[in-house]
């Protein structure tokens, strides 16, 4: 072995040792605060995918949908087959999204949030999904301080997933894992409407 | 009504008419080529969420995983409860991802692709998911031209979802809906390891 080769071997060994040291340091298990935000597709569907994974591991999951309403028919039919593993609450039905009945919208958001709080407090739930909660925060229907107080005080093994565009900065700051979904291309531009199995 | 008000009303009417015209033009239903790419989380989980939605509408879905292998235990347990609605093929088990056995890796990728092709050709499937196919294309284990030929020649009502970072430009060009998942924050940085129900 000449000098160059020896140096290379030494370098690779060091690199391998450093890599193993990093892996060995990833030992903690903890409940994650996960945020899916951004203008792209996939925020809710990625949360649903996580629900399915957790269910598959026998973990109980609670899902509260703050906005979707009557559109959320697809996943509900499947989740209904596993009543012991998932509690699915589409609370947002009837959201008006205008200021004509702001008081009623706030009341609906409050009721949905109470459901989330109950699931977070109940040790039976491994994961709680607050779907489109960001939208509610964006409209100031619920105070972000109150939401963060509950989220940060939760049991340290509980996973919480919050979805919706325009996640508030305070939530991103508090989160463990934040993914932004960006739209690169959308079929609406070509006259294609929302379809069963894709959008709902 | 003074002049200013009348102009405003006229303007709003025009705006409403334009909005309705846009909505009325969204009438097409067609099979979409959907790509989830980017370095962030949620590419596969968003595809799994779409699978659950489609299943909930009684649509049959085929899922071929090119890479995940033994990690993909969570979703499988749930999908196995619906053998008529979903065919789930984790083909990537044993991928080596190094050049030690490139010929074997190519053979595995080829076998997985043949499964995808079969599902695309079979009218029974409404949606086909080629999970992590982009990785295989990135490594040149399969020729992108051949993949695109099959994808563009498919039945016009069939949805195909391709996931994986580094989607080739040709695939993005051919796709109807492309979402890029961007990592904003990752718990690995704080020593947290991959956990059941989250990563797998």
């Amino acid at each position: 072995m000449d000098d160059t080769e020896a140096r290379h071997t030494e370098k690779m060994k060091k690199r391998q040792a450093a890599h193993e040291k990093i892996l060995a340091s990833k030992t903690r298990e903890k409940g994650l605060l996960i945020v899916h935000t951004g203008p792209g597709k996939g925020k809710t569907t990625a949360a649903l995918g996580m629900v399915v994974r957790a269910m598959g591991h026998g973990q109980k999951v609670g899902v509260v949908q703050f906005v979707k309403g009557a559109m959320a028919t697809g996943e509900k039919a499947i989740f209904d087959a596993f009543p012991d593993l998932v509690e699915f609450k589409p609370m947002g039905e009837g959201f008006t999204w205008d200021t004509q009945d702001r008081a009623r919208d706030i009341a609906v958001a409050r009721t949905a949030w109470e459901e989330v709080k109950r699931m977070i407090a109940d040790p039976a739930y491994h994961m709680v999904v607050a779907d489109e909660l960001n939208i509610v925060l964006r409209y100031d229907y619920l105070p972000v301080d109150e939401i963060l107080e509950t989220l940060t005080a939760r049991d340290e093994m509980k996973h919480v997933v919050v979805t919706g565009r325009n996640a508030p900065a305070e939530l991103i700051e508090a989160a463990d894992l934040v993914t932004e979904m960006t739209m690169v291309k959308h079929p609406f531009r070509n006259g294609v409407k929302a379809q069963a199995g894709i959008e709902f």
Side-chain angles (χ1 to χ4, degrees), chain A residues 24-97:
Chain A
S25 72
K26 311 296 183 200
T27 52
R28 290 174 66 203
E29 290 211 352
K30 75 183 274 283
L32 301 178
L33 176 54
I34 296 169
V35 177
H36 296 166
T37 192
K41 309 282 290 180
K43 297 183 288 291
T44 294
T45 41
L48 296 177
M50 295 178 74
V51 170
V52 172
R53 289 201 159 152
M55 288 164 64
H57 289 286
Q59 299 175 350
K60 180 160 182 165
V61 185
V63 181
V64 176
Q65 292 198 310
F66 280 77
V67 173
K68 284 289 157 58
M71 290 285 273
T73 48
E75 55 269 31
K76 191 166 187 317
I78 299 302
F79 292 159
D80 282 352
F82 301 92
D84 295 341
L85 284 177
V86 61
E87 188 177 0
F88 187 76
K89 297 258 179 182
M91 310 287 288
E93 208 151 357
F95 247 111
T96 60
W97 294 124

Side-chain angles (χ1 to χ4, degrees), chain A residues 5 8 14 16 25 45 65 67 80 82 102 104 119 121 123 125-126 136 162-163 165 169 192-194 200:
Chain A
E5 261 188 67
H8 178 79
K14 275 186 187 158
Q16 191 184 29
S25 72
T45 41
Q65 292 198 310
V67 173
D80 282 352
F82 301 92
R102 188 176 155 89
R104 183 173 158 276
M119 291 168 172
Y125 295 89
H126 285 74
V136 166
V162 177
T163 78
R165 56 174 72 194
V192 178
K193 68 176 183 180
F200 58 94

Side-chain angles (χ1 to χ4, degrees), chain A residues 19-182:
Chain A
H19 180 68
E20 279 167 4
K21 197 174 160 188
I22 288 169
L23 273 188
S25 72
K26 311 296 183 200
T27 52
R28 290 174 66 203
E29 290 211 352
K30 75 183 274 283
L32 301 178
L33 176 54
I34 296 169
V35 177
H36 296 166
T37 192
K41 309 282 290 180
K43 297 183 288 291
T44 294
T45 41
L48 296 177
M50 295 178 74
V51 170
V52 172
R53 289 201 159 152
M55 288 164 64
H57 289 286
Q59 299 175 350
K60 180 160 182 165
V61 185
V63 181
V64 176
Q65 292 198 310
F66 280 77
V67 173
K68 284 289 157 58
M71 290 285 273
T73 48
E75 55 269 31
K76 191 166 187 317
I78 299 302
F79 292 159
D80 282 352
F82 301 92
D84 295 341
L85 284 177
V86 61
E87 188 177 0
F88 187 76
K89 297 258 179 182
M91 310 287 288
E93 208 151 357
F95 247 111
T96 60
W97 294 124
D98 55 29
T99 49
Q100 289 170 356
D101 204 346
R102 188 176 155 89
R104 183 173 158 276
D105 290 349
I106 289 174
V108 170
R110 171 62 58 189
T111 308
W113 173 244
E114 293 301 325
E115 278 297 316
V116 173
K117 264 171 73 175
R118 179 185 61 78
M119 291 168 172
I120 287 177
D122 183 345
Y125 295 89
H126 285 74
M127 179 186 287
V128 180
V129 178
D131 185 47
E132 303 285 14
L133 172 59
N134 289 337
I135 309 271
V136 166
L137 296 175
R138 171 76 165 178
Y139 279 75
D140 284 325
Y141 286 175
L142 293 171
V144 69
D145 289 353
E146 183 193 336
I147 271 70
L148 283 176
E149 206 177 285
T150 300
L151 293 179
T152 51
R154 76 190 192 281
D155 181 274
E156 69 159 357
M157 286 311 293
K158 180 140 334 193
H159 300 301
V160 177
V161 186
V162 177
T163 78
R165 56 174 72 194
N166 298 309
E170 303 94 310
L171 181 65
I172 289 175
E173 181 58 37
D176 301 291
L177 171 60
V178 181
T179 305
E180 181 170 272
M181 277 70 170
T182 310

